Each structure stands twice: as structure tokens, then as C-alpha cells.
């Protein structure tokens, strides 16, 4: 499975961006991870095969994950962006029955990864 992200860029604090991830085929569970400068790799948002979504606490109410299975595309709508959201955002996918809450904390459950798209937030 190939994953190709797009939509990153530079935005002012408080602004919005929408990330997209196109998969070469349908994969039941998909999500977004990020790693900022000097920070650990972390799960941001996951949507599992049942369509259940889970978010890391710091983005709840600001980010929305969604998918369009007709075009094998995952999205991450990011609003009210903060400087601490700046990171390389990477799309991941897995053929798994695990729920989104478990997947958020288990990047090793994802065998397929994109190259990432950079998000910069200017204060």
C-alpha cells in the first residue's frame, strides 16, 4: 500500500489547514501521526475500520479526521492551529481489527506509512 500526503504548509497561529492522504487501495484503519522538533513521535488522530475516531487530547475540538472510501483518501482538518502543532505529519494505514483508541498509542500496529507533510505554525 502506498500513501501520499499533501496539504502541509505554513500558517499563522489560529489558522487552518487540511491534510490529505491518498492510499493506493482501501485499508480499514488509518491515522495521522506527527513529530515536532525535539518532540516524540505521537499519534494525532485515528479512524478505525468501524469508523470510530480517537484524538490525542491536545487536538480534541480543533482537529477532525475523516475519510472518503470512494477515493481511498484520509483527511485531517486542522483548525485553531498553535505553534506547538508544528511538526511533520505522517499518514499511516493498517489492516487490523484493533480499535482507534488502541491504535493511537501503537504506531507499530501500522505497517504502511507515507513520506509525511510538513506543517509550520507561525506565532
Amino acid at each position: 500500500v502506498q500513501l501520499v500526503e499533501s496539504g502541509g504548509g505554513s500558517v499563522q497561529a489560529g489558522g487552518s489547514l487540511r491534510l490529505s492522504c491518498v492510499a493506493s487501495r482501501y485499508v480499514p484503519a488509518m491515522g495521522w501521526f506527527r513529530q515536532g522538533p525535539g518532540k516524540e513521535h505521537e499519534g494525532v488522530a485515528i479512524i478505525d475500520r468501524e469508523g470510530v475516531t480517537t484524538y490525542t487530547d491536545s487536538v480534541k475540538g480543533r482537529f477532525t479526521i475523516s475519510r472518503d472510501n470512494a477515493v481511498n483518501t484520509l483527511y485531517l482538518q486542522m483548525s485553531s492551529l498553535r505553534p506547538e502543532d508544528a511538526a511533520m505529519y505522517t499518514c499511516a494505514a493498517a489492516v487490523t481489527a484493533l480499535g482507534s483508541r488502541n491504535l493511537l498509542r501503537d504506531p507499530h500496529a501500522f505497517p504502511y506509512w507515507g513520506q509525511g507533510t510538513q506543517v509550520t505554525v507561525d506565532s
Side-chain angles (χ1 to χ4, degrees), residues 41-78:
H41 190 238
E42 68 168 343
V44 177
I46 305 293
I47 184 166
D48 64 26
R49 69 173 190 171
E50 302 295 333
V52 177
T53 59
T54 299
Y55 300 88
T56 192
D57 287 346
S58 65
V59 308
K60 288 179 181 177
R62 301 188 297 120
F63 290 13
T64 302
I65 189 171
S66 63
R67 63 189 302 170
D68 185 342
N69 293 335
V71 290
N72 297 331
T73 301
L74 179 73
Y75 303 100
L76 185 68
Q77 178 66 49
M78 306 186 294

